[in-house]
Amino acid sequence: MKVEAKPKELAVEKNTTTGADVFIRSLVDADVDTVFGYPGGAVLPIYDALYRANTPFQHILCRHEQGLIHAAEGYARVTGKPGVVIATSGPGATNLITGITDAMMDSLPIVIFTGQVATGVIGTDAFQEADIIGITTPITKYNYQVTDLKQLPRIVKEAFHIASTGRPGPVVVDIPKNISEKITVDEFDTAFHLPGYQPTVKPNPLQIRKLADALSRSERPLLLAGAGVLFADAAEELKAFAEKYQLPVTTTLLGLGSFPGTNELALGMAGMHGTYTANMAIYECDLLINIGARFDDRLTGAIKHFAPNAKVAHIDIDPAEIGKNIKTKIPVVGDAKEALKQLLDVNVKSTNHDEWLHSLKSKKEDYPLWYDRSKELISPQWLIEQVYETSNGEAIVTTDVGQHQMWAAQFYKFDNPDKWVTSGGLGTMGFGFPAAIGAQLGRPDELVVSIVGDGGFQMTLQELSVIKERNLPVKVIIINNEALGMVRQWQEKFYEERYSESLLTENPDFVKLAESYGVKGVRVNNEDDVPKVLEDVFSYNGPVVVDCRVVKRECVFPMVAPGTGNHEMIGVTR
Amino acid sequence: MKRIITATVQNRSGVLNRVTGMMVKRQFNIESISVGPSETEGISKMTFVVEVSDEQKLEQLTKQLNKQIDVLKVTDITDKAIVARELALIKVGSSSQNRAEIQGVITPFRASVIDVSKDSLIIQVTGNPEKIDALIDLLKPYGIKELTRTGVTAFQRGRQPENVQEMNALIF
Ligand SMILES: Cc1cc2nc3c(=O)[nH]c(=O)nc-3n(C[C@H](O)[C@H](O)[C@H](O)COP(=O)(O)OP(=O)(O)OC[C@H]3O[C@@H](n4cnc5c(N)ncnc54)[C@H](O)[C@@H]3O)c2cc1C
Ligand SMILES: Cc1ncc(C[n+]2csc(CCOP(=O)(O)OP(=O)(O)O)c2C)c(N)n1
C-alpha cells in the first residue's frame, strides 16, 4: 500500500518537510502523548522538527538518559501503554543500555529511538558512532536501523506493535542523521510486514479442559499469579476464578496487585523474601496453576525442592517460558485474560478443599511477617506500614532495589492492579525515582510514592530537576539506613559480618540536596513524628523528599537462603 | 545429543546475529551453521547442527528460535529422512610422485582435484559430514595445509520411510 505523505502540514515551510517531520508525525499517529527525550548531534533534526511542530506531545527532558528510560518504564507499567524514548547516538544511546535491559527482563513495552551517524559513515568509527543495533540485539525484543526514509512510518508502526503485543518488550529504532535530515519523499511504504510474528492469544480449549480436569481432582490447589496477569489486564478474571473455586493465591514480586493483597484467599508474595505461608503452600500443593509468571529463581529457590508434590500447569503468552525452568504437565499458551475467561466458562466440579484452606489460614495466623519494632529509632518495616496506612493503601508505589524494596513488597498490601512499579528481573538500582516520574506523568491524578534506599537514590537523583520543573507531586521516601542495606545483610548473614564497602558513611544532606533543586525536603528521626509528617507530605501539593532515618542494621526476613528450598526459610519467627 | 535444525527466516539485516547471539547467550552449543537464500526471494534458510544435553534443552532451543520475530519456521529434522550435505575444500601437500596415489584415495569419495600446484593439491568433496571426516583422516598423512568446511545444509526427503532413525544413524 502506498499512501501520500501527510506530514507536510507540520512543517513551517512546505519545502522543508524532512524525515524528522515524518518521524514526529508517525509518533502522533501512534497516539503518543508523552516522550522522554534528550537531544544531541544526531537527533538535532528531530528536535528541530519537534520545535517546528509545536511539540505535539509532552516532551520530558530528564537529566540523564538512564532517567529517560526508567521514566518510560514507570509510565508503561502504570498505563499499559508503550513508553517512548528519544536519545542521541553514541553516548546518549549507550546511557540507555541498563534501562533497555531492565525493560527486556521485566517485559515492558518501550519504544526507543536513537540517533545514528549518517549512513555514509556508519562503520568508520565516526564521531559519536556506536553500534547500537549490535549492542542492543540481545536486550531487545526487536530492533531496526532505518536505512531508507520511505520505510520510516512503517518501521515506527511495527515498532509500537511489536513492543506492545504478545509478550511486551523494548524495541529500538536507530535513525541515521541523514535520514532525518532528508527532504522527504512523496511515497511511503506503510504496509505492515511481520509474517514471523503472530503471538498466540487464544489458548487451546483442549488444554483448558485438561487444566479444569486437574482442578476437579485436586485437593490442594494453588494459584501463582505473575506480572502476566497485569499485562493481560486480567485481575478481575483472576479474582472471579479464585473466588469461584476458593483457590488460594500467591503472587510473584511483579505480580503484586494482580490479586487483592487483603483478600482472604491471598497468601502474599512467594519466593526468597515471600511469606512462610506462600512458600509452604507451594511446597505442599498438589496442583500449581501458574498464571503469567516465569518461574524466576528468586521465586523458585532450589528447583529440586520447588513444588515437589504438585502437578504444574502454566498459562503464558510466551511458549518459551513454559517448561524452561520447571517441568510442566499442563502447558497453556495464550493470554491470561483469555485463558481465565475460558476457565470461568467451564464448570468444574472441584473437590472440597476446606482442609487445605484451613491449614493455610492457620499458617497465616501462626507465622505472619514480623519485625522487632525499635523503641528509639524508626523501624523501616513499621515506616512502610505507616506509608500504607496514610495513603489508604491506594498509592502508586515505585521502589528502587534492596531491602526497602522487599519491605515495600511485604508490608504494602496492594489491592489494585498497576499500582506497583519495581525492577524485578534485573534489579536495577537507580530505577525507583525516575520510574516515579513516568508513573506520575502517566497517572497525573494519583498519589505516587517513591520508596528508595539512600544508596540507589544517589544513582539517579539528578532527576529532581524534572519534578521541580514540571511540579510533579512525587513523594520520595528515602529509607536511609546509611548502608547498601541488602549487601550489608548478605555480608552479615553469609560473610561473617565482613562489611566490605557496604556502609555509606558520607551521605549528602538529602534535605539540603532537595532544597538546592528547589524541592521541599523533610527529615524524620523519630517514630512519633512519622504519622504527622506523612500526612503533611501526602497532602502537600508538590514534590517532596523525605529523609527517613531508620534503624541501620535491620535484615529482611523471612528468607530463603541461596541454594536452599522454599520450605527451608530462615527467620520465619523471632 | 546432536540435532539438525532448520529455520526459514526473513532476510533482514542482523537476523543471523540475532539468532546466533540468542544461541550463544543461552549456551546452546553450535557445531555448524549454514545460511543461504531459499526458493523464495527475501527468505533465507539456516541449518544448524547443535549439541544439546536433553529434550528440555532441545525444546527450549526450538521455542527460542521460533520466538525470534524474523523466524518463520523451525524444524528439527534429525528424526526425519533427510539428505544432509556439506562441502569441504582441502589443500594437501603433494608432489608429482604421489599425485596419482592421492587421486586413488579420493576417487571412492567422489571428490575431485580442483587445483594443482608444484607442491600441493586442492581437493573438493561434498557429502555428509561423516564421509568428509573419513576423507580428511585418510588425507592427513599427506599433510593438510588448509581446510575449510561449509557446515551442513539439509533437506527432508520427498518420501519419509519407516526406518528413519536407522538411516540417520549413518549420517552421524
Ligand atoms: C532484591 C530482589 C529480591 C527478589 N525477591 C523475589 C521474591 O522473593 N519473590 C519473587 O517472586 N520475586 C522476587 N524478585 C523478582 C524476581 O527476580 C522476578 O523479577 C520476578 O519473580 C518475576 O515475576 P513474574 O514472573 O511475575 O514477572 P515477569 O518476569 O514480568 O514475567 C511475566 C511472565 O508473564 C508472561 N506474560 C506476559 N504477558 C502475558 C499475557 N498477556 N498473558 C499471559 N502471560 C503473559 C511473560 O511471558 C512472562 O513469562 C526479587 C527481585 C529483587 C531485585
Ligand atoms: C546498579 C546496581 N548496582 C549494584 C546492585 C547490587 N545491589 C543490590 S541491593 C544493593 C544495596 C542497595 O542499597 P540501598 O539503595 O541503600 O537500599 P537498601 O538495601 O539499603 O534498602 C546493591 C548494591 C544493584 N542491584 N544494582
Side-chain angles (χ1 to χ4, degrees):
Chain A
M1 187 177 60
K2 309 264 183 187
V3 296
E4 267 287 305
K6 282 183 294 180
K8 286 184 179 155
E9 66 216 65
L10 289 179
V12 189
E13 286 170 64
K14 217 174 170 193
N15 295 335
T16 60
T17 303
T18 63
D21 296 301
V22 175
F23 169 68
I24 298 293
R25 161 56 58 153
S26 303
L27 293 187
V28 172
D29 286 348
D31 289 330
V32 169
D33 57 27
T34 306
V35 168
F36 302 91
Y38 205 101
V43 288
L44 275 172
I46 288 174
Y47 275 86
D48 189 55
L50 183 71
Y51 188 92
R52 284 185 283 109
N54 257 328
T55 315
F57 33 73
Q58 60 178 339
H59 178 280
I60 307 298
L61 177 80
C62 289
R63 298 317 198 247
H64 185 297
E65 284 87 354
Q66 185 178 0
L68 301 177
I69 184 119
H70 292 326
E73 290 182 86
Y75 174 91
R77 184 68 91 183
V78 300
T79 62
K81 294 194 285 185
V84 182
V85 171
I86 300 176
T88 192
S89 70
T94 54
N95 267 349
L96 297 172
I97 299 306
T98 301
I100 300 177
T101 315
D102 191 86
M104 184 67 176
M105 284 290 248
D106 288 351
S107 300
L108 291 172
I110 310 289
V111 184
I112 301 115
F113 298 96
T114 50
Q116 184 54 280
V117 299
T119 48
V121 294
I122 289 179
T124 65
D125 305 315
F127 177 63
Q128 294 195 328
E129 178 182 1
D131 173 14
I132 214 64
I133 294 297
I135 293 172
T136 62
T137 293
I139 53 166
T140 49
K141 186 169 171 187
Y142 201 58
N143 57 13
Y144 292 89
Q145 187 168 66
V146 183
T147 50
D148 180 355
L149 176 53
K150 253 177 43 194
Q151 303 169 342
L152 183 62
R154 168 181 62 79
I155 289 177
V156 173
K157 244 178 152 176
E158 286 183 0
F160 277 94
H161 178 71
I162 292 172
S164 57
T165 53
R167 178 179 184 172
V171 177
V172 165
V173 180
D174 198 31
I175 309 177
K177 192 173 182 184
N178 58 319
I179 301 282
S180 47
E181 268 173 344
K182 192 177 158 103
I183 304 300
T184 187
V185 291
D186 283 336
E187 293 213 317
F188 289 93
D189 140 31
T190 52
F192 240 63
H193 189 61
L194 296 167
Y197 180 66
Q198 278 128 1
T200 307
V201 175
K202 287 237 184 301
N204 182 341
L206 215 75
Q207 294 305 100
I208 295 286
R209 272 251 145 248
K210 272 192 201 153
L211 211 174
D213 194 50
L215 181 58
S216 74
R217 270 177 285 155
S218 165
E219 285 168 9
R220 296 183 309 279
L222 177 66
L223 298 182
L224 167 66
V229 174
L230 298 166
F231 290 129
D233 188 20
E236 229 172 272
E237 288 79 2
L238 175 65
K239 183 159 176 274
F241 181 59
E243 286 182 338
K244 181 170 175 186
Y245 297 109
Q246 288 298 297
L247 306 171
V249 184
T250 178
T251 74
T252 62
L253 177 73
L254 296 182
L256 289 171
S258 62
F259 188 75
T262 55
N263 190 292
E264 256 213 276
L265 292 163
L267 308 180
M269 180 173 85
M272 180 172 273
H273 289 299
T275 66
Y276 175 75
T277 310
N279 282 338
M280 288 313 290
I282 290 181
Y283 191 72
E284 290 169 358
C285 69
D286 66 2
L287 174 66
L288 177 63
I289 305 176
N290 170 353
I291 311 175
R294 64 181 170 84
F295 283 135
D296 178 87
D297 55 68
R298 298 277 118 157
L299 174 82
T300 61
I303 297 261
K304 66 168 186 277
H305 299 303
F306 184 77
N309 306 303
K311 186 181 253 184
V312 174
H314 187 172
I315 302 170
D316 204 299
I317 202 156
D318 179 359
E321 285 303 340
I322 303 179
K324 185 182 82 177
N325 295 338
I326 300 291
K327 284 218 161 62
T328 301
K329 267 271 162 50
I330 309 170
V332 181
V333 179
D335 176 65
K337 195 183 187 90
E338 293 288 335
L340 281 163
K341 274 188 183 160
Q342 283 192 26
L343 275 168
L344 280 164
D345 285 346
V346 191
N347 268 319
V348 182
K349 253 193 83 181
S350 71
T351 53
N352 178 324
H353 45 263
D354 286 352
E355 212 176 300
W356 169 236
L357 288 178
H358 187 77
S359 88
L360 294 174
K361 192 164 174 237
S362 28
K363 277 203 186 72
K364 253 170 56 169
E365 280 159 11
D366 296 346
Y367 305 100
L369 291 167
W370 66 274
Y371 58 89
D372 279 325
R373 187 162 158 195
S374 160
K375 300 231 164 46
E376 310 86 54
L377 295 161
I378 302 173
S379 292
Q381 304 92 328
W382 179 83
L383 179 68
I384 306 274
E385 288 182 319
Q386 298 310 300
V387 171
Y388 174 67
E389 298 292 336
T390 315
S391 61
N392 298 321
E394 286 169 358
I396 289 177
V397 177
T398 82
T399 77
D400 218 74
V401 170
Q403 293 185 310
H404 65 279
Q405 176 190 30
M406 293 298 108
W407 288 320
Q410 292 178 331
F411 293 99
Y412 203 104
K413 310 274 175 234
F414 293 91
D415 274 341
N416 293 301
D418 306 330
K419 299 259 186 178
W420 169 239
V421 183
T422 198
S423 164
L426 199 63
T428 307
M429 282 172 73
F431 171 89
F433 174 47
I437 293 176
Q440 187 75 76
L441 286 159
R443 291 267 175 265
D445 300 330
E446 294 197 38
L447 172 64
V448 175
V449 179
S450 184
I451 300 175
V452 298
D454 48 321
F457 184 52
Q458 293 186 64
M459 287 199 176
T460 45
L461 62 74
Q462 74 284 346
E463 306 309 339
L464 283 167
S465 297
V466 178
I467 56 173
K468 166 66 184 167
E469 182 181 271
R470 299 273 165 171
N471 194 30
L472 296 175
V474 169
K475 318 301 181 201
V476 180
I477 309 285
I478 306 175
I479 308 292
N480 188 346
N481 52 10
E482 292 179 22
L484 301 172
M486 186 58 98
V487 171
R488 196 206 58 75
Q489 170 169 348
W490 281 55
Q491 289 170 339
E492 177 184 322
K493 299 293 169 210
F494 309 120
Y495 294 87
E496 299 171 320
E497 302 187 35
R498 289 187 294 276
Y499 297 125
S500 181
E501 303 295 326
S502 59
L503 305 178
L504 299 178
T505 43
E506 271 307 324
N507 271 335
D509 178 331
F510 288 109
V511 172
K512 280 193 189 149
L513 183 89
E515 283 165 359
S516 77
Y517 279 92
V519 170
K520 187 179 166 81
V522 183
R523 176 167 298 118
V524 269
N525 289 300
N526 70 66
E527 262 199 11
D528 296 343
D529 299 336
V530 168
K532 171 93 174 61
V533 166
L534 290 179
E535 265 322 322
D536 292 350
V537 165
F538 291 172
S539 56
Y540 178 75
N541 183 22
V544 190
V545 172
V546 193
D547 179 18
C548 306
R549 298 308 185 90
V550 299
V551 182
K552 290 181 194 170
R553 299 262 160 133
E554 268 304 301
C555 285
V556 182
F557 284 126
M559 175 176 195
V560 178
T564 66
N566 279 352
H567 62 304
E568 301 168 290
M569 291 195 99
I570 54 176
V572 174
T573 52
R574 262 184 194 83
Chain B
M1 51 187 176
K2 204 173 280 192
R3 310 295 295 186
I4 307 182
I5 291 167
T6 61
T8 44
V9 303
Q10 289 269 98
N11 192 7
R12 287 195 176 170
S13 79
V15 57
L16 181 63
N17 187 15
R18 195 166 262 284
V19 166
T20 54
M22 179 280 289
M23 289 166 87
V24 171
K25 163 179 150 180
R26 296 193 183 271
Q27 295 200 298
F28 294 109
N29 203 344
I30 314 172
E31 293 211 338
S32 79
I33 302 181
S34 78
V35 192
S38 73
E39 71 283 2
T40 313
E41 205 196 311
I43 291 179
S44 296
K45 179 127 179 184
M46 297 185 178
T47 308
F48 307 96
V49 177
V50 289
E51 177 68 44
V52 289
S53 50
D54 53 42
E55 287 291 334
Q56 192 191 355
K57 262 293 219 191
L58 176 63
E59 184 183 308
Q60 255 301 295
L61 174 58
T62 51
K63 283 176 163 180
Q64 293 291 350
L65 280 171
N66 260 315
K67 184 160 129 180
Q68 304 303 317
I69 309 267
D70 286 328
V71 171
L72 302 174
K73 187 164 191 239
V74 179
T75 321
D76 177 353
I77 59 172
T78 320
D79 299 331
K80 302 273 165 57
I82 56 172
V83 283
R85 290 289 181 274
E86 182 174 12
L87 182 141
L89 297 177
I90 310 160
K91 188 189 272 179
V92 290
S94 138
S95 59
S96 50
Q97 280 95 329
N98 64 7
R99 241 174 245 155
E101 185 184 327
I102 292 175
Q103 188 64 53
V105 171
I106 68 172
T107 304
F109 289 84
R110 283 191 242 155
S112 49
V113 172
I114 55 171
D115 182 70
V116 181
S117 73
K118 206 160 74 204
D119 53 3
S120 69
L121 289 178
I122 299 178
I123 295 158
Q124 170 187 312
V125 60
T126 321
N128 68 47
E130 178 123 305
K131 167 179 156 184
I132 293 175
D133 289 344
L135 178 60
I136 290 169
D137 270 351
L138 288 173
L139 290 173
K140 269 187 191 149
Y142 301 98
I144 293 182
K145 296 186 157 183
E146 245 182 292
L147 171 70
T148 179
R149 298 172 69 153
T150 57
V152 179
T153 186
F155 262 167
Q156 296 188 44
R157 287 180 188 275
R159 203 174 63 87
Q160 293 288 317
E162 305 275 290
N163 58 339
V164 174
Q165 307 229 333
E166 280 164 47
M167 291 174 50
N168 285 1
L170 298 174
I171 296 177
F172 292 125

